[in-house]
Amino acid sequence: MKKIWIIVAMLLLTSVISYADINGPYRDGLIEGYVKKVLENQIQIEEYDGTVHLLNLDRKVNFQIDGKNVRLKDFKPGMEVYGELRGRRLKYLEGYSTENLGYIPPGGKVRTGIVKKIDRDQIIIKNLIGKEETYFTSPATVCLKKGENVPLSVLYEGDRVRLYFDEVDTKMISRMSIEGDSILIKNLYRGKLARADQLEDEIVLDKVEVFRNGKWQGFNNSIAIPYSSDLPLYVGGQRLHYKNLKYYRGKTVYMAIKDFFGTDKIEKMVVKSQYEKTYSDKIKRINWYSDTFELANHKNMTFSEGTMVIKNGRLVDKESINPESDAFIVADGRGSNLYADVINIYNEDLNNSNIGQNYIYAGRLSRIFEDKVYLKDFYLLDRHEWESFRTRDEDDEKELFYDNDTIIYDIENKKYILPKEFFAGDYSVDEDTDDDERIKNKHLKDWYGYIYTDGDRITSIMVQKDLDSLRRQRVTTGVIEKAEEDSLVGWTVYLRDAKDYSYRHDKWMAKNTTIRVNLEKAMIVKNGKIINSYELQPGNRLYIVRDDFYGKVVVVK
């Protein structure tokens, strides 16, 4: 009898564990939960969902409790811990004692989640269990991305973040770490569900198409993609348990795919319920009480948490949809009873959110002082169009400030110059004087600049002798498909999923083909700093001011 109870207990334990994603921590490289057992050179950790992992230790494993270095044996059963993995080995583990609940070391309180909303210094995140939490930033908040110190303005809704706090009860973020490009949606697939293999945790699609350049294009006859039990899966707006996916064989499915260390990973999946219709139009009005919206063509449709919403290359919550958004929409239903399965928003702006105060100017360098520049007859890029500001006298000139951290590039001589060289050079002269023989003999004139600013502070400026014809320029967004140094024209990028902003139509117009843009005489800005063309990579998202084939100002998003 005793043996029977043991067998029953083991079966129950096995059945509980089998419902969890036992490989999740090894794919993500992170594990959180409670210490279950401490062995000589191993530790057993129970995740919050009940999955138990027995972990070996990395050769250079680091243990910390309350911010202090400790040994493995200092961890006690029941202690809440956070760990980082290298493959299936534990390389870092931190925990917190309960001896002094009012004190934590600087950065000792940590929260992880997806950014749901940004409102200046207020950030709302959805944590790992789906709960919304509100935190605040300050001028002292440090922001890191890929190990590099970046401005808070690089943050997007949909970004995955890790927040650190210096006090246990505070809502003020001391340090923020933004996940790198792995958060970006690599592809949007459409295909027929051929198989959902729970044993292999794999989905097989037939007749696969990929969304490219504003339309579905043939991609592959068949693909197999790993999936897990926590996969967000919906049909007709209703949550679908992954165990029941096998019953939808032959149905059309839509998948948002991320690149996870070189492997495709499903971020969200929607199963078509009835009949597909597609629209490329502007969302004019949204009724948040009924979760419906109206398109410019007067079509109405519903949406929900199950709708796949892609914005700025990221999956976002439905609350991130704004009126006047231009979008590609995959609708599901019949007649006038339509439901939005997929909403791919085209809109892109110079600033990622209202945290940012970045501007692009173009104009004549009228006067240059040791710490400031005055622009005459200048232009400001406003809503993707150049707006002209004519100056009658010095009082109308635009005052901008620069400092030792400002990046200055002389495009004529293809070199970076120091602020003191900028001030001492002939980039600005008194053209109206008749007394300076040097100005007359050398025919010196004021130079012009494309200027990228944070408020009124110049972060980057590219100077040139003549002003381009700004009337011919337009704003384009897209994703780099290929970047190469052409032997004839120099560095050129190929952009897929490109959109031009049309001032006449007041909307983003999707291109139906890949386009080429030359960057030999462009100012390329990333995280507020000028970079070189060869630093661009496939997959980079760009916001470009261009004169047809020739790029002028490029902002890496």
Side-chain angles (χ1 to χ4, degrees):
M1 189 68 178
K2 185 176 180 181
K3 289 183 178 180
I4 293 175
W5 278 112
I6 292 173
I7 293 171
V8 170
M10 290 177 67
L11 289 172
L12 287 173
L13 179 61
T14 303
S15 65
V16 170
I17 294 176
S18 65
Y19 282 96
D21 180 13
I22 196 166
N23 294 316
Y26 309 120
R27 287 195 297 268
D28 300 337
L30 305 173
I31 187 167
E32 290 185 289
Y34 304 92
V35 175
K36 195 169 182 67
K37 188 182 294 183
V38 178
L39 306 174
E40 186 174 351
N41 287 307
Q42 294 176 310
I43 186 169
Q44 196 176 60
I45 295 176
E46 178 185 342
E47 289 188 272
Y48 293 118
D49 64 5
T51 311
V52 177
H53 300 266
L54 182 61
L55 300 173
N56 293 317
L57 307 181
D58 191 76
R59 189 166 56 88
K60 296 183 179 180
V61 63
N62 181 18
F63 298 115
Q64 289 196 351
I65 296 178
D66 293 344
K68 299 178 180 178
N69 290 327
V70 296
R71 295 167 296 178
L72 175 62
K73 66 179 184 180
D74 294 317
F75 288 90
K76 306 300 180 186
M79 184 178 287
E80 195 167 11
V81 291
Y82 161 81
E84 296 179 4
L85 305 175
R86 180 181 285 114
R88 290 180 174 268
R89 290 180 174 272
L90 187 68
K91 69 174 183 178
Y92 174 77
L93 188 67
E94 66 178 32
Y96 305 98
S97 70
T98 56
E99 294 177 2
N100 186 351
L101 295 177
Y103 169 77
I104 61 170
K109 175 182 170 183
V110 183
R111 293 292 182 268
T112 303
I114 302 292
V115 176
K116 182 169 182 179
K117 186 176 180 181
I118 303 171
D119 188 6
R120 295 177 173 83
D121 65 341
Q122 178 178 284
I123 296 174
I124 299 175
I125 71 167
K126 182 182 286 187
N127 65 19
L128 299 176
I129 59 174
K131 181 181 177 182
E132 292 182 16
E133 299 172 341
T134 302
Y135 300 104
F136 299 89
T137 63
S138 74
T141 299
V142 176
C143 189
L144 300 173
K145 187 173 184 178
K146 295 182 180 179
E148 180 183 354
N149 200 316
V150 295
L152 280 167
S153 58
V154 307
L155 187 65
Y156 279 102
E157 291 177 355
D159 274 344
R160 184 180 297 277
V161 294
R162 189 174 174 83
L163 310 178
Y164 299 83
F165 304 84
D166 289 345
E167 297 177 11
V168 71
D169 295 325
T170 187
K171 294 281 188 178
M172 191 65 66
I173 304 165
S174 64
R175 178 162 54 97
M176 177 190 302
S177 179
I178 305 174
E179 184 175 324
D181 294 340
S182 62
I183 193 69
L184 296 177
I185 298 302
K186 174 186 173 184
N187 283 316
L188 177 61
Y189 288 151
R190 178 177 72 176
K192 298 288 186 180
L193 181 63
R195 190 173 78 249
D197 192 330
Q198 294 180 33
L199 295 177
E200 297 292 333
D201 284 344
E202 184 179 76
I203 291 176
V204 178
L205 292 187
D206 288 342
K207 300 178 182 179
V208 183
E209 297 170 295
V210 64
F211 186 71
R212 281 282 185 276
N213 300 324
K215 59 183 180 295
W216 296 109
Q217 298 181 3
F219 179 72
N220 208 325
N221 288 331
S222 180
I223 60 173
I225 308 175
Y227 80 110
S228 62
S229 60
D230 59 353
L231 167 67
L233 181 61
Y234 294 87
V235 56
Q238 301 298 314
R239 189 76 183 242
L240 176 66
H241 197 285
Y242 80 105
K243 291 200 304 180
N244 296 326
L245 183 59
K246 60 187 177 183
Y247 300 118
Y248 289 84
R249 182 179 176 183
K251 284 280 192 177
T252 297
V253 297
Y254 310 95
M255 289 183 178
I257 303 295
K258 290 200 316 181
D259 186 347
F260 188 76
F261 295 104
T263 302
D264 282 351
K265 179 184 178 183
I266 306 171
E267 190 68 6
K268 191 169 184 177
M269 181 172 168
V270 176
V271 181
K272 186 177 75 173
S273 176
Q274 298 184 58
Y275 305 101
E276 176 186 289
K277 290 186 178 181
T278 57
Y279 302 90
S280 184
D281 208 346
K282 187 181 291 290
I283 297 173
K284 295 299 292 183
R285 282 174 286 277
I286 301 175
N287 186 329
W288 293 107
Y289 294 101
S290 60
D291 277 353
T292 58
F293 61 81
E294 180 185 356
L295 298 178
N297 65 7
H298 305 300
K299 289 286 184 182
N300 292 284
M301 60 187 72
T302 59
F303 63 108
S304 71
E305 291 293 340
T307 300
M308 186 186 299
V309 184
I310 302 173
K311 182 178 181 181
N312 298 317
R314 296 153 169 82
L315 271 182
V316 296
D317 287 338
K318 63 184 179 70
E319 287 83 2
S320 296
I321 306 172
N322 298 316
E324 300 301 315
S325 293
D326 303 314
F328 172 81
I329 300 164
V330 179
D332 190 349
R334 65 169 69 212
S336 60
N337 186 20
L338 297 176
Y339 171 79
D341 275 338
V342 180
I343 301 177
N344 189 4
I345 297 174
Y346 290 155
N347 299 61
E348 186 82 70
D349 207 341
L350 182 62
N351 290 295
N352 303 344
S353 68
N354 57 17
I355 293 180
Q357 294 184 349
N358 298 117
Y359 303 96
I360 297 177
Y361 292 89
R364 174 180 163 187
L365 307 178
S366 173
R367 292 177 290 155
I368 301 176
F369 295 92
E370 286 186 294
D371 61 351
K372 56 188 172 183
V373 177
Y374 287 91
L375 298 182
K376 186 176 183 179
D377 297 334
F378 64 95
Y379 297 81
L380 173 65
L381 194 70
D382 180 46
R383 295 188 71 248
H384 324 297
E385 285 283 317
W386 288 115
E387 183 175 347
S388 173
F389 291 85
R390 295 293 177 185
T391 52
R392 298 194 180 119
D393 51 44
E394 291 184 354
D395 291 338
D396 293 333
E397 293 178 347
K398 177 61 180 177
E399 180 185 54
L400 297 172
F401 299 88
Y402 69 98
D403 47 52
N404 290 339
D405 292 321
T406 298
I407 307 297
I408 307 170
Y409 187 68
D410 181 335
I411 190 67
E412 305 289 348
N413 299 298
K414 297 187 182 303
K415 66 176 185 178
Y416 293 96
I417 59 175
L418 297 172
K420 61 182 181 181
E421 297 175 292
F422 182 54
F423 169 63
D426 292 323
Y427 298 103
S428 175
V429 297
D430 189 353
E431 295 183 8
D432 299 325
T433 185
D434 294 324
D435 300 330
D436 195 323
E437 292 295 326
R438 190 178 68 88
I439 294 176
K440 291 171 60 179
N441 293 338
K442 290 189 174 184
H443 305 287
L444 298 178
K445 292 184 177 181
D446 290 339
W447 284 41
Y448 293 82
Y450 285 105
I451 305 169
Y452 185 84
T453 73
D454 181 1
D456 284 340
R457 177 190 171 266
I458 301 173
T459 63
S460 302
I461 176 172
M462 183 176 73
V463 294
Q464 57 189 50
K465 287 185 176 180
D466 300 304
L467 182 65
D468 299 312
S469 175
L470 302 186
R471 290 183 180 276
R472 296 172 24 172
Q473 296 181 3
R474 53 184 148 160
V475 170
T476 300
T477 64
V479 179
I480 295 180
E481 191 172 73
K482 182 173 66 173
E484 65 178 11
E485 188 171 16
D486 190 290
S487 60
L488 297 177
V489 295
W491 274 98
T492 303
V493 293
Y494 293 75
L495 295 181
R496 63 172 173 85
D497 300 330
K499 276 86 66 176
D500 285 339
Y501 181 76
S502 168
Y503 185 75
R504 186 169 75 88
H505 292 284
D506 186 27
K507 66 185 292 188
W508 289 94
M509 313 291 285
K511 314 291 283 185
N512 60 11
T513 186
T514 297
I515 65 170
R516 296 172 68 224
V517 181
N518 180 262
L519 304 181
E520 276 301 293
K521 293 188 176 181
M523 177 173 72
I524 307 172
V525 179
K526 182 178 181 180
N527 296 333
K529 299 177 182 178
I530 293 179
I531 65 170
N532 295 307
S533 302
Y534 60 78
E535 296 179 68
L536 294 172
Q537 300 291 329
N540 285 161
R541 295 168 53 254
L542 305 182
Y543 179 98
I544 303 177
V545 181
R546 66 185 178 110
D547 182 348
D548 196 23
F549 176 63
Y550 299 98
K552 298 301 178 180
V553 182
V554 178
V555 180
V556 182
K557 305 296 286 182

